[in-house]
Amino acid sequence: MPVVNAEIASQLDRLADLLDIEGANPFRIRAYRRAARVVGELPRSVSDMLAAGEDLDLLPGIGEDLAGKITVLARGERLPLMDELEHEVPAGITALLALPGLGPKRVHLLHDSLGIDSVAKLAAAAKAGRLAEVPGIGPGIEAKLVRAIAEGAGQAQRTRLATAEQIVRPLLNHLRQAPGVARIEAAGSYRRRRETVGDLDIVVGAVSGEPVMQRLVGYEDIAEVVEQGPTRATVRLRNGLQVDLRVVPPESYGAALCYFTGSKAHNIALRQVALDHGLKLNEYGLFKGASRVAGADEPELYRRLGLDFIPPELREDQGELDAARTRTLPHLLSAEQMQGDLHVHTDATDGRASLREMAEAARAKGYRYIAITDHSRRITMAHGLDAKRLGRQIEAIERLNAELRDITLLKSIEVDILLDGTLDLPDSVLRRLDLVVAAVHSHFDLPQARQTERLLRAMDNRCVTILAHPTGRLINQRPGYAVNMERVMRGALERGCFLEVNAQPDRLDLDDLQCRMARRIGLKLAVSTDAHSPVEFDFMRFGVDQARRGWLEADDVVNTRPLNALRALIGARR
Ligand code: DGT
Ligand code: CA
Ligand code: CA
């Protein structure tokens, strides 16, 4: 894996931050900052330059010492200076840098004048009204900080599922090659497909733990071995994510997998079921007295407890044990059941690929249809479509439909919902489309009652089929707007509209609990990717994951239908 310039630049910036917090010589700090900028904006890869034998100290502002450091970073190695500085500056202090309005200078001042070396101490000082004492912290910044702390900034962030997946796969492949590994799987919230994970929990079935441990500590992506024993270890990866590894003998693999999959609440309830059967359940197996009656395989465990197998996505102690006992678990939606995607962009607005490329990618996935939903005119940043350009797209779609086999392009749009709940294009235009996807892109801060009315108003328009990303939240970035979701769902049901589960990994909007609410209400949903390029069609499974966590079956999701049935569902309202 070659180290890219941006990574080197961010390491140099971090050095500058740490030096700045320490109150180091300003010239030295400035030299690192300048080097970070030069490397970051260089049109060529530093790794390539080194490979070609070029001298880095020919770059502007980069002397021999910095060139040496950049060379070390380009090799993917750590700088001794970084280790030194990270040792000297408490981790809590660097966490302060993530807060709005706090650069190294102010962090240095906070530490100097009030001894603040963590977000917790900052919060306490803010509460006691002591921040005003610190020179350079005016009332404006103080208010900003108080708000950021209240919103949970500075806390260790959970990792989005899609990011975790990119990290898990190579790690599992690496560990699998250790001698003696019979089975291996990522358990925990990752296996339950929660939208974010706190850490990764990996379970290995092997006769001996030693070779697995050796293989783990040899993994190139490890920043720190936090703890290591003969059968368990905790390591921190370079991106900050922590991994708990557990090795158990093969006869305990199923029980350990079950235990470490959790959730904790599910485990506790499951253990009670075992007790009710006169059995004992732990991570080594299911026991009757001293003899193990199950443990190697997870399904066997559930069977011995008189339960249907419970898919990991449902293991939250939200009624799944009762349903498993009474054989009434849902037949969860699966990615293979998806017949099409109802939210797709092209390069007519902010997508990266042409209509034809998107259509062919969707056909290659085996889809029967996709809805082309480019932005409407109000979204000027995305070069939104007005009536005239939409008209041209409609013609292009009709031409392509006449040509393409096996897939139908549905004429649609992601029409912007305006402040008063009216739509960004007139009905006369919207009526020319097969379906209409409506979404909010502005005025996120309305009071709940007004935002709710706005969405209901938008769905009053009989052209509207689907309300896209219904809360507008972005995971780890912004909360959704205030909205009474139960009213919106009941309103959608009355009007014959559907809500979307947007499968973009940073949206997952609706979320799992809202999916479950929709099912209870009887409202059908669309699971769509909002793809802006062909690869993004693969996001579908993340939407399906959340739908499964919400107990949804194929019948609850409109785009599991063949095209004719889908048209009938849509047509019912228009
Ligand atoms: P996370 O990491 O915060 O996203 O959530 P999990 O569910 O992965 O939680 P984690 O990593 O703390 O523990 C992994 C699993 O181990 C958890 O889902 C259930 C099990 N577990 C952990 N602590 C306990 C406990 O105190 N009691 C029981 N019964 N199970 C536990
Ligand atoms: Ca975990
Ligand atoms: Ca854990």
Side-chain angles (χ1 to χ4, degrees):
M1 240 181 322
V3 179
V4 300
N5 287 7
E7 288 176 51
I8 299 172
S10 97
Q11 291 282 312
L12 293 170
D13 255 330
R14 181 161 169 79
L15 283 177
D17 283 348
L18 291 170
L19 287 166
D20 212 347
I21 292 171
E22 281 209 323
N25 178 331
F27 291 104
R28 194 168 167 220
I29 299 166
R30 216 172 301 149
Y32 282 106
R33 292 233 188 270
R34 191 180 331 119
R37 204 177 59 236
V38 168
V39 171
E41 294 172 357
L42 211 59
R44 297 189 47 204
S45 145
V46 166
S47 305
D48 287 351
M49 289 178 69
L50 289 169
E54 291 174 53
D55 268 343
L56 293 182
D57 51 12
L58 296 178
L59 294 173
I62 292 181
E64 206 179 318
D65 174 61
L66 269 166
K69 290 200 168 67
I70 293 171
T71 307
V72 172
L73 290 172
R75 282 202 299 262
E77 291 165 19
R78 273 182 71 81
L79 287 174
L81 176 64
M82 182 73 88
D83 289 334
E84 207 177 292
L85 288 169
E86 286 191 339
H87 186 71
E88 286 165 11
V89 180
I93 292 198
T94 50
L96 291 173
L97 286 174
L99 296 178
L102 283 193
K105 288 268 175 325
R106 288 198 176 109
V107 169
H108 179 80
L109 281 170
L110 285 167
H111 188 225
D112 253 18
S113 49
L114 297 176
I116 290 171
D117 60 5
S118 68
V119 176
K121 284 192 188 165
L122 180 69
K127 210 165 161 194
R130 296 198 58 199
L131 292 185
E133 295 168 29
V134 182
I137 305 271
I141 293 169
E142 185 181 345
K144 221 196 257 178
L145 286 175
V146 170
R147 196 164 56 236
I149 294 167
E151 286 168 2
Q155 282 170 13
Q157 269 193 349
R158 296 175 58 87
T159 303
R160 288 197 296 257
L161 186 59
T163 312
E165 201 172 274
Q166 286 176 7
I167 294 166
V168 165
R169 287 186 172 165
L171 178 57
L172 289 185
N173 285 338
H174 175 84
L175 294 172
R176 216 186 303 275
Q177 287 161 38
V181 171
R183 301 167 81 175
I184 180 167
E185 212 162 326
S189 50
Y190 178 82
R191 184 164 178 243
R192 302 198 312 278
R193 307 310 283 169
R194 274 193 63 180
E195 61 185 34
T196 60
V197 304
D199 71 1
L200 291 172
D201 307 276
I202 294 179
V203 180
V204 179
V207 247
S208 154
E210 207 46 51
V212 186
M213 290 304 154
Q214 269 181 25
R215 185 100 191 137
L216 174 70
V217 298
Y219 190 55
E220 60 168 13
D221 199 28
I222 286 180
E224 185 194 353
V225 177
V226 181
E227 242 185 86
Q228 192 193 343
T231 59
R232 67 175 75 187
T234 298
V235 299
R236 198 165 48 78
L237 300 178
R238 284 199 299 209
N239 79 334
L241 190 61
Q242 203 160 291
V243 181
D244 289 340
L245 178 79
R246 206 36 196 270
V247 185
V248 295
E251 63 269 23
S252 293
Y253 180 75
L257 181 62
C258 181
Y259 180 87
F260 290 106
T261 296
S263 64
K264 190 171 162 181
H266 176 87
N267 287 354
I268 291 168
L270 194 62
R271 198 181 307 147
Q272 188 57 49
V273 174
L275 289 175
D276 295 345
H277 281 74
L279 301 168
K280 206 180 126 230
L281 176 66
N282 60 31
E283 64 255 56
Y284 299 103
L286 185 63
F287 297 89
K288 186 170 189 114
S291 81
R292 192 195 325 258
V293 298
D297 292 297
E298 201 186 49
E300 172 70 7
L301 214 62
Y302 284 96
R303 198 157 49 235
R304 285 300 308 240
L305 292 172
L307 302 170
D308 279 349
F309 180 77
I310 300 177
E313 292 91 333
L314 298 185
R315 300 185 195 171
E316 301 290 349
D317 192 25
Q318 293 294 322
E320 73 275 15
L321 288 164
D322 276 343
R325 192 172 42 77
T326 54
R327 316 268 175 250
T328 52
L329 282 170
H331 298 285
L332 294 183
L333 176 72
S334 72
E336 301 77 56
Q337 290 171 326
M338 303 308 298
Q339 298 284 315
D341 197 325
L342 299 177
H343 191 157
V344 175
H345 292 272
T346 75
D347 59 8
T349 61
D350 60 350
R352 294 291 176 82
S354 67
L355 190 61
R356 178 183 292 272
E357 285 166 331
M358 293 307 275
E360 279 171 357
R363 190 176 57 169
K365 259 188 94 72
Y367 283 158
R368 314 312 304 261
Y369 50 83
I370 55 173
I372 302 300
T373 56
D374 273 313
H375 286 287
S376 63
R377 59 190 174 185
R378 249 290 307 273
I379 312 298
T380 48
M381 265 187 354
H383 199 43
L385 302 180
D386 56 19
K388 198 161 140 215
R389 288 176 57 221
L390 179 60
R392 283 208 293 273
Q393 186 177 65
I394 289 173
E395 287 163 19
I397 288 175
E398 283 169 353
R399 278 196 304 274
L400 210 49
N401 272 339
E403 176 193 329
L404 290 177
R405 307 219 157 265
D406 309 326
I407 188 157
T408 301
L409 305 182
L410 297 170
K411 289 162 276 182
S412 185
I413 192 155
E414 178 179 3
V415 70
D416 191 40
I417 299 174
L418 306 179
L419 175 59
D420 62 356
T422 59
L423 304 177
D424 186 26
L425 285 170
D427 291 0
S428 57
V429 174
L430 299 179
R431 270 197 290 269
R432 296 184 59 196
L433 302 167
D434 293 308
L435 74 155
V436 169
V437 174
V440 162
H441 298 97
S442 62
H443 303 287
F444 282 30
D445 49 0
L446 296 183
Q448 196 195 68
R450 271 191 73 194
Q451 198 69 274
T452 304
E453 280 311 311
R454 182 187 183 194
L455 297 182
L456 292 172
R457 189 70 210 286
M459 292 190 291
D460 278 339
N461 186 314
R462 299 187 65 85
C463 293
V464 171
T465 323
I466 296 170
L467 181 63
H469 38 78
T471 78
R473 66 111 171 226
L474 289 177
I475 298 174
N476 285 347
Q477 289 175 66
R478 69 171 186 229
Y481 32 80
V483 70
N484 181 335
M485 190 47 73
E486 183 163 351
R487 274 202 66 203
V488 170
M489 285 186 180
R490 292 194 188 284
L493 183 65
E494 281 162 18
R495 291 164 177 77
C497 290
F498 312 108
L499 261 54
E500 179 184 85
V501 178
N502 188 294
Q504 293 274 321
D506 59 348
R507 285 198 185 267
L508 302 179
D509 176 13
L510 304 171
D511 69 15
D512 51 358
L513 295 177
Q514 291 161 337
C515 285
R516 185 121 194 235
M517 188 198 278
R519 182 170 152 98
R520 209 180 58 233
I521 288 173
L523 172 69
K524 293 193 194 312
L525 305 177
V527 183
S528 304
T529 63
D530 201 349
H532 285 66
S533 69
V535 291
E536 290 189 3
F537 280 127
D538 288 342
F539 287 157
M540 185 59 90
R541 58 204 165 81
F542 296 111
V544 170
D545 286 337
Q546 299 313 305
R548 289 169 63 89
R549 287 179 55 80
W551 294 54
L552 297 194
E553 303 186 332
D555 187 55
D556 300 315
V557 175
V558 295
N559 47 328
T560 58
R561 305 276 192 290
L563 182 57
N564 285 339
L566 176 76
R567 281 199 199 275
L569 271 179
I570 298 169
R573 113 166 276 233
R574 310 182 98 210

